[in-house]
Amino acid sequence: MPLFCPQIISTHVKIPPNAPSISPTLPKHIKKGHQLVFSRQDLSAREADLFALMMAHMKEPDWHNNTPVYSFPCSQISEWLSIESRHVGSILSPVAERLSQRKVGLRTLSKKGEEEFDYIPFFKRLTYKNGCLVMIPNDELRTEYIEYNQGFALINARNFFNLKKEYSKRLYELLSRFKTEGTTMKAQNLEDLKGLFGILDEKGQLKTDKTSFKNNSVFMKRCIRDSIKEISNNPQTRKELLFLPSDKGEQGYQLIKQGRKIVGIEFLYRWLETNTVQELNTHDAKETIRKLELQRLQSGERLSISELQLLAQAYRAINQTDTAEQIDHSIFQRQHEAVTSPESTPEQEDIDTMLANIKTLKQMEGNPQY
């Protein structure tokens, strides 16, 4: 029997007749405006899931007549969040209680141009009763919920729910803000990142329940390295998001220092073109691999970046993800070299070609690197 938490709400919530309809299938994406994505939040994994459930279904017309009311039956929650139906109430009741009290910290500027944060509750009302989760968003956040003047993040809903850790979910949605036209998130100040991950309070001080994060090493491990590891190892997210190594061997990020002090982090990643992968059938993929690999290995011809991209897509189409990732790393290195290296002379190009051919011959006996 579903549980009800009287601390959330003690009266029956009447669902208006014009309430937004909930699709029987999970929407493909969660759309979140830039201001909301880059706000200060401190949500557990389950709290983040419930909030994302509402955001996945929220559309701008929902607000035309009144504040929308979103109602999710137990069966949908069980399917979408992978919770046994008989445990939905006992699991969600305490989560909903905590989430009803959560606030979002929005960045603002004072008249003097000083940075400030405005903390506003996510919800007007939140209840789980009679086998149904009812969520009413706070009107004061209407602009942040449905206006995208500063752009938005398009987050893969299923992949977001499949991630298990709270900080992995947070990093995934932050990086989802920059997908189009090869854009990436700019280097972030370390203190700003701690705020985005919910480690600091509205005054920029360490929260009382986050004292273990006093040392930067704990923040780096739990929020950064562990999150990158989970996203990289998840069978679904690893198909769409590739983390790249730094010059010093860190996977997915590089540190920005002033002397010995860490002051910022730049994430090294690339979104993969999953649509192209889906368009390649097995036969086309095999033919692409056969053609380009023969061109590379037999003639010693160095593939262009566009050919390498096509080769990586072909390998992904036949589920050879590890090989595709090797090629992606090579593409990143090639592009990085093009930016940082001076223009090559014909003589240097001949040397580079010779070395590349020797390297290829060495690797043909083992596992070729790209």
Side-chain angles (χ1 to χ4, degrees):
M1 180 177 179
L3 297 182
F4 167 56
C5 181
Q7 294 161 304
I8 304 172
I9 180 172
S10 57
T11 58
H12 179 66
V13 178
K14 184 177 180 181
I15 308 299
N18 61 342
S21 59
I22 301 300
S23 169
T25 58
L26 181 67
K28 185 176 180 180
H29 292 111
I30 303 162
K31 190 175 182 180
K32 295 179 74 172
H34 179 91
Q35 179 76 332
L36 194 58
V37 171
F38 278 84
S39 61
R40 290 193 172 187
Q41 302 176 26
D42 184 14
L43 304 181
S44 70
R46 281 297 185 201
E47 290 167 21
D49 283 345
L50 291 192
F51 183 64
L53 201 60
M54 180 183 73
M55 293 303 298
H57 289 83
M58 185 180 291
K59 300 178 292 296
E60 191 272 337
D62 298 349
W63 293 79
H64 284 180
N65 298 318
N66 210 330
T67 306
V69 178
Y70 299 92
S71 178
F72 300 92
C74 174
S75 57
Q76 288 179 323
I77 296 171
S78 173
E79 176 187 352
W80 293 338
L81 302 187
S82 301
I83 303 174
E84 287 189 37
S85 56
R86 61 194 179 98
H87 295 315
V88 169
S90 60
I91 290 175
L92 290 195
S93 185
V95 175
E97 178 185 7
R98 295 194 305 270
L99 184 57
S100 69
Q101 301 168 13
R102 297 294 192 191
K103 298 180 180 180
V104 56
L106 301 174
R107 192 187 303 263
T108 59
L109 288 176
S110 69
K111 293 181 179 179
K112 296 181 180 180
E114 297 173 344
E115 185 177 275
E116 298 177 339
F117 281 91
D118 189 10
Y119 281 77
I120 304 172
F122 283 108
F123 295 97
K124 177 188 290 187
R125 179 169 286 184
L126 179 60
T127 181
Y128 184 81
K129 186 176 183 179
N130 297 329
C132 192
L133 176 69
V134 179
M135 312 175 83
I136 306 178
N138 188 348
D139 305 78
E140 291 190 45
L141 289 171
R142 181 185 185 280
T143 299
E144 283 69 31
Y145 278 137
I146 60 173
E147 293 186 11
Y148 311 110
N149 298 329
Q150 295 177 270
F152 57 86
L154 204 60
I155 305 160
N156 186 303
R158 176 53 62 195
N159 291 353
F160 179 88
F161 291 133
N162 280 340
L163 293 171
K164 302 304 179 185
K165 298 179 180 178
E166 57 189 293
Y167 299 126
S168 301
K169 291 176 182 289
R170 190 70 179 110
L171 179 59
Y172 182 70
E173 68 175 357
L174 287 170
L175 298 183
S176 293
R177 169 62 185 90
F178 304 97
K179 282 185 177 180
T180 58
E181 299 177 356
T183 57
T184 56
M185 185 165 68
K186 66 179 183 179
Q188 297 291 308
N189 177 278
L190 186 64
E191 295 304 299
D192 287 345
L193 269 180
K194 289 180 179 180
L196 293 178
F197 278 91
I199 308 302
L200 306 179
D201 62 17
E202 62 274 16
K203 296 179 181 179
Q205 302 297 315
L206 196 67
K207 291 183 178 179
T208 55
D209 61 341
K210 306 288 185 180
T211 54
S212 61
F213 289 89
K214 184 176 181 179
N215 294 326
N216 285 338
S217 59
V218 177
F219 174 77
M220 290 301 305
K221 180 183 185 303
R222 292 183 57 188
C223 295
I224 307 302
R225 289 197 295 273
D226 287 355
S227 297
I228 289 173
K229 182 178 180 181
E230 183 181 7
I231 295 171
S232 298
N233 292 338
N234 181 279
Q236 297 306 314
T237 53
R238 68 177 294 183
K239 293 179 181 178
E240 61 174 357
L241 183 58
L242 174 70
F243 287 101
L244 304 159
S246 72
D247 294 337
K248 295 186 178 180
E250 297 122 338
Q251 188 66 23
Y253 69 94
Q254 64 182 8
L255 300 176
I256 300 171
K257 294 185 176 182
Q258 289 180 353
R260 300 180 62 181
K261 182 182 179 182
I262 301 173
V263 296
I265 297 174
E266 180 181 1
F267 291 101
L268 306 176
Y269 67 99
R270 190 161 70 85
W271 288 96
L272 306 172
E273 299 180 20
T274 53
N275 289 338
T276 309
V277 175
Q278 294 168 356
E279 291 169 2
L280 282 174
N281 60 40
T282 302
H283 177 267
D284 290 340
K286 288 169 62 179
E287 287 302 310
T288 297
I289 293 169
R290 182 179 294 110
K291 174 186 175 182
L292 293 178
E293 288 288 23
L294 286 175
Q295 178 180 329
R296 184 180 73 90
L297 296 172
Q298 287 190 348
S299 66
E301 185 177 336
R302 194 183 194 199
L303 300 182
S304 66
I305 288 180
S306 60
E307 288 173 328
L308 287 176
Q309 290 172 336
L310 182 59
L311 186 58
Q313 292 160 7
Y315 273 117
R316 279 195 173 82
I318 61 170
N319 296 318
Q320 295 298 309
T321 307
D322 290 341
T323 305
E325 288 180 355
Q326 292 177 31
I327 301 171
D328 287 319
H329 283 298
S330 179
I331 294 171
F332 173 76
Q333 292 296 337
R334 188 91 66 85
Q335 292 172 331
H336 180 70
E337 290 167 4
V339 172
T340 59
S341 300
E343 187 174 348
S344 297
T345 63
E347 182 181 15
Q348 183 61 46
E349 289 178 355
D350 288 340
I351 293 174
D352 290 343
T353 300
M354 178 192 71
L355 293 176
N357 289 341
I358 292 174
K359 185 177 181 180
T360 299
L361 290 172
K362 287 180 180 179
Q363 294 169 342
M364 284 180 64
E365 294 298 324
N367 181 18
Q369 302 295 314
Y370 293 89

